[in-house]
Amino acid sequence: MAEIDAAVADGRIPASLDQVISDAAARELPYLQACIKEGLRWLPPIAGMLPKKTPPQSDTINGHFVPGGVTVSWCVKGIHHNPALYGPDPQAYRPDRWIHTSTGGDEPSEEKIATIERNNDLIFGHGKYSCLGKSVAVIELNKVFVELLRRFEFSLMKPEEEWRGGGCFGIFLQKGLWVTVRKRELKV
Ligand code: HEM
């Protein structure tokens, strides 16, 4: 919210509520980008096994021989909560892991940030099966949080209670996460 308010104040986001933030302007908000990446990583929206079959003549995957006709799937949570990449706190929601220390984040290695960004690309699938709606989804994510958080303040109604998911059916359902929404006084 502080990043959004600062961007409105110095004109990087149009002050008028009739204008929705552009995708290009949202890409220039580092903390927003970090929150989106961390949210996608922490609870990847598509968690189905997305099975693929090797060709009849077999295949070699990441150096491993796999016979033909074998179904290979991924474990999306394993990939995005891998301690080798996200240690020591893969289960934590920590947007600062995506921001370099030189710009106020937690991560001292540019190379590490590039690696985890490549890993996050897998959230939309890969290769010929990858998500056809990725660019639309990314534009939506870039706009929705800015426009909501400019206007409203959200707080958990029962912060002491653990969030219980509504189950995973290939796509996660959420329920029981009650929030209080207050209209913000706009500084325009
Ligand atoms: C954050 C939001 C989204 C995520 C994480 C996501 C992720 C994915 C994943 C993982 C796949 C399957 C890849 C595979 O089978 O290996 C997929 C397929 C697909 N997605 Fe998305 N998606 C999102 C939003 C959207 C949106 C908004 C649209 C449409 C505007 C869309 C359209 C499609 C289509 C058409 C396919 C099938 C592609 C094919 O099999 O050729 N997705 N998506």
Side-chain angles (χ1 to χ4, degrees), residues 80-153:
H80 298 291
H81 290 226
N82 178 358
L85 279 181
Y86 301 103
D89 57 353
Q91 308 296 338
Y93 176 83
R94 183 166 59 85
D96 285 276
R97 70 172 88 242
W98 301 91
I99 302 175
H100 195 260
T101 39
S102 65
T103 48
D106 285 349
E107 180 49 57
S109 161
E110 297 277 10
E111 205 183 338
K112 174 77 177 287
I113 293 175
T115 304
I116 60 176
E117 286 191 341
R118 276 199 304 280
N119 201 62
N120 243 35
D121 284 345
L122 293 174
I123 284 165
F124 288 93
H126 185 68
K128 72 174 179 176
Y129 297 103
S130 89
C131 175
L132 290 180
K134 180 176 176 180
S135 46
V136 176
V138 170
I139 292 170
E140 286 177 346
L141 291 169
N142 278 339
K143 290 173 187 266
V144 70
F145 300 113
V146 172
E147 296 304 327
L148 282 174
L149 294 171
R150 274 183 79 174
R151 293 168 173 83
F152 304 103
E153 188 181 324

Side-chain angles (χ1 to χ4, degrees), residues 42-90:
W42 194 80
L43 191 73
I46 309 288
M49 293 177 75
L50 305 180
K52 311 282 183 292
K53 213 175 231 182
T54 55
Q57 68 275 19
S58 78
D59 208 342
T60 303
I61 303 170
N62 204 20
H64 298 279
F65 172 79
V66 185
V70 169
T71 300
V72 179
S73 295
W74 70 348
C75 170
V76 74
K77 239 181 158 182
I79 291 171
H80 298 291
H81 290 226
N82 178 358
L85 279 181
Y86 301 103
D89 57 353

